[in-house]
Each structure stands twice: as C-alpha cells, then as structure tokens.
Amino acid sequence: MSHLRLSILLSISFLVMVLGLGEVAVAQDQGASSFSPPAPTSVTTTASELEILTVPMTAYDLSELAVIWQNHVKSVLEDIAGLNLELAIAQGAREEVLRDELAKTFGLQSMVQDSYGAVLDA
C-alpha cells in the first residue's frame, strides 16, 4: 500500500510540475510576443534605443538612417521657425498658445538632436 501511495504522490507531483512549467512557458511566450521594438526611423525613438538598434547595422544602413534623422532635425527646426514667425505677429490668447507650442517643440528638438547624434556616433 505504501508503494502505491508513493507512486500516486510522485505521479501527482510530476503532473503539477509539468503543468506549472507549461504555464510559465506560455506566459513567457505571451510576454515575448507582445513586445515589438521601436522603428529606428521613428521620430519618437530615443537616443538610448537607437544606440541598441544601430548595433547590427551596416555602414550603408547607418548612412541611410542618418539622412532620415537629418530630415527629422530639419523638420523640427522648420516648425520652430514657423512658430517664431507666427509668434512675432500674434496677440492675446493666441500668443500664449504659440508660446506653449514652441516650448513643446523645443523639447522635441532636444530629443531629436540627441537621437540624431546617437545615429552619427554609431
């Protein structure tokens, strides 16, 4: 009777362990499938992300990416210039709105410059 009991306990323990490991594997698979890395060309990709994403790139890939980021910098600077020109003639509440937009755009410019620098340093 004790051998039978031991066999049953071992079988149950084995099943619990296998089922538990299966759940862990499923959870890991689900966690892995939901992550997608940021696109290296996206203006929202940070400098630290680009430092990682550029590691496997060839010189040709990096030169293409640098052109894309140079265009991001140009676009943000054009936005800043446009806001400054509009701010020069704005009055009242519109002036305050433009100042807020300009502050946000300066923050974006800083981030874009850092990311462009990361691409150039790669």
Side-chain angles (χ1 to χ4, degrees):
M1 189 81 157
S2 69
H3 287 342
L4 179 61
R5 215 170 177 191
L6 183 59
S7 294
I8 291 172
L9 280 174
L10 285 173
S11 296
I12 291 172
S13 297
F14 178 75
L15 286 173
V16 167
M17 185 179 75
V18 168
L19 291 176
L21 290 176
E23 289 175 13
V24 170
V26 168
Q28 288 174 343
D29 286 345
Q30 289 173 347
S33 66
S34 66
F35 175 77
S36 60
T41 57
S42 173
V43 73
T44 59
T45 303
T46 65
S48 59
E49 291 168 333
L50 281 166
E51 288 173 3
I52 297 167
L53 292 170
T54 56
V55 169
M57 291 186 173
T58 64
Y60 180 78
D61 295 336
L62 289 170
S63 72
E64 285 186 331
L65 188 60
V67 169
I68 291 168
W69 277 95
Q70 186 178 35
N71 287 331
H72 287 327
V73 170
K74 179 182 175 186
S75 176
V76 171
L77 291 175
E78 288 171 345
D79 290 346
I80 289 171
L83 287 169
N84 275 316
L85 289 171
E86 192 175 350
L87 185 60
I89 59 171
Q91 296 177 359
R94 179 69 182 146
E95 188 175 5
E96 189 62 35
V97 169
L98 288 171
R99 288 188 194 285
D100 289 342
E101 283 183 48
L102 194 56
K104 290 176 187 173
T105 307
F106 278 131
L108 177 62
Q109 178 202 10
S110 177
M111 189 183 88
V112 170
Q113 290 285 146
D114 290 346
S115 295
Y116 180 49
V119 171
L120 295 179
D121 290 343

